[in-house]
Amino acid sequence: MKLLFELSRTGRGQDLLPLSDVPACEFGGELLRQAPPRLPEISEVDLERHYTELAKQTHGVNDGFYPLGSCTMKYNPHINEDMAALNGFTGIHPLQDENSAQGCLEVMYRTEQLLNEITGMDAMTFQPAAGAHGEYTGLMLIRAYHLSRNDTARTKIIVPDSAHGTNPASAAMAGFTVVSVPSNAQGGVDLEALKAAAGSDTAGLMLTNPNTLGLFDPNILEITRIVHEAGGLNYYDGANLNAVMGHVRPGDMGFDCVHLNLHKTFSTPHGGGGPGSGPVGCKKFLDEFLPEPRVVRDEGGALRFACPEHTLGKVRSFYGNFLVAVRALTYITVLGKEGIPEASETAVLNANYMMHKLKGHYDVAYDAACMHEFVLTLEKLKQETGVSAMDAAKRLLDFGMHPPTMYFPLIVHEALMIEPTETESRETLDRAVQVFLDILEEAKTDPEKLHEAPHTCPIGRPDEVGAARNPVLKYEFA
Ligand SMILES: *Cc1c(COP(=O)(O)O)cnc(C)c1O
C-alpha cells in the first residue's frame, strides 16, 4: 500500500485546513521556517480511500471477536462517543476560568465520586494518561508517604511473579528495587515467600488482582495484612477491575492505593495508542500527596481547582485526558448500580464458559474457576505436533478473530491468554470455541498450514522485534 506522500502530486492542491479565523501573529525571522512544509497534495476522495483501505487492513472490535487477554477489548457503546463529542466538552480551553467551566468540573467531580465508591477509595487523580503511568504515580505516592515520616530505608517493592509486566517496570522506573515473589501451585501468591520478603526495607507491594492467570487470590486479606505489618503500603493494579467491579473493592481488601484503566474497564476504545486514562485512587491519609490540580467543592457549592498540601506535583499537563472521563461517567451512569456488577458477572461467566468448552481439548494452565480471563498452555501440543502458541494464534486471523495475548504470563510456557469480555454473545463464543477446536484438528493433520498462517492477511509474520526496536516513523523524501 502506498503512503500519502507517494500518492501526492504537485499542484493538486491541499486545502483541507480551514482559513484562519484569528488575527495573524508576527514572529521574528529566526522562528520562521525557510520553506513551506512538504504536505501531501491529494484530492479528498483519494484521501478517504487511503484511510478506508488502512482501516480494512486492521482488526477492531467492530470487525470480530477480540479476546486479547489483559486488555479488555469490550465493545464500547456509541452513547459514550456521543457524549464525548458534545461541543461543550470538546470546545473548552484548558486555561479557561473555573467559573466558565463548571459543567466540565462537575464531570470530573462526579466521575471521581463514582470511582471512589466502586474502588473503596477516598480521593482520586485523573492526571495519569495510562495504566502504567498510574502505577508510576501510585508508587510516587508511596514514596512521598514514607519520606514524610523520615522513613528512608524503605527502598523495595514486592511484586509477585504473576503480576502484569508493567508492575516491576514501573517500580524500577520510580527508583525502587524490585523483589519478586513466586506463585504457589494454585497460581496465588506464596505466603511464606511473601513473609520472608516483607521487612523494614519494604516500601510496598504491587498486586495485580485478578492476576495475569485470571485468578482471584483467595489469600488477599492475609497478603495485605503481612505487608501492612511490615510497615509497607499495598498497591492494587486495578486494570482488571472488569472482573470484580460492583462485587469487591480494593479499599475493603486492605489496599491503600489503586489505579484503574478507564480505557479498558470503563469503556474507551483503545489499542491504537490512546488516548487512555489511568486514574489513581488512594485512602485519605495519602490524599495530601496527590498530583495537582484536584477538583473540590467550595462552601458556596461551586467547583474549584485545589492543590493538595504536599502534592508530588504534576505527572501530566492540565487535568489528564478529560474526554476519557466523560466516556467513563456516561458508561457508569448508563449501567447504574445494577448494571456495573452485572457486567463483571457476565465477563466472568463468558470466560468460564469458554474455558469449560475448551478444557479436555486444550490444557488449561491452572485448572480452577477463572475470573474474566484464562490461560491455555500449548506446551504439550508443541511437543507432539510442533505447533506453537504463535502458530495457533496466527491461524485465528484467518477466521476473522484477533489472537489472544501470547507468551504471557511468562510463568506459563506456550501461553495463550483469552479474555472474551461481557459484550460477546453466546453464538460468538460458540463459534470461537469451534475455531479453536478446528485449529487443534489441523495441528494433528496439517501442521505445516499452521506454521505458515495467516494465509488471508495483507502480511504474514512481520518481524515484531525489529518493528518495536527499529520503527520507521518518518518518511524519507527522495
Ligand atoms: C493493561 C494493563 C496495564 C497497563 O496499562 P496501560 O494503559 O497499557 O499502560 C497494567 N496492568 C494490567 C493488569 C493491565 O492489564
Side-chain angles (χ1 to χ4, degrees), residues 70 130-132 135 164 166 208 237 239-240 259 261 263-264:
S70 208
E135 291 170 24
H164 194 263
T166 49
T208 302
D237 179 335
N240 290 338
H259 86 263
N261 276 37
H263 47 289
K264 290 179 183 171

Side-chain angles (χ1 to χ4, degrees), residues 294-341:
R294 298 206 47 232
V295 179
V296 296
R297 203 177 283 288
D298 68 18
E299 295 95 61
L303 293 166
R304 301 265 166 251
F305 287 122
C307 180
E309 196 180 349
H310 299 112
T311 181
L312 52 87
K314 281 181 181 293
V315 295
R316 191 190 179 282
S317 54
F318 300 111
Y319 326 109
N321 282 327
F322 169 66
L323 292 175
V324 182
V326 174
R327 292 182 179 90
L329 179 61
T330 307
Y331 182 71
I332 296 169
T333 308
V334 168
L335 286 185
K337 231 184 163 84
E338 293 78 37
I340 290 284

Side-chain angles (χ1 to χ4, degrees), residues 69-72 129-135 163-167 208-212 237-240 259-261 263-264 270 276-278 372-373 419:
S70 208
C71 293
T72 311
H133 197 188
E135 291 170 24
H164 194 263
T166 49
N167 292 184
T208 302
N209 186 67
N211 64 23
T212 55
D237 179 335
N240 290 338
H259 86 263
L260 302 174
N261 276 37
H263 47 289
K264 290 179 183 171
H270 63 289
S277 177
H372 60 307
E373 63 192 2
E419 180 183 6

Side-chain angles (χ1 to χ4, degrees), residues 265-283:
T265 311
F266 295 97
S267 193
T268 276
H270 63 289
S277 177
V280 172
C282 66
K283 293 283 194 182

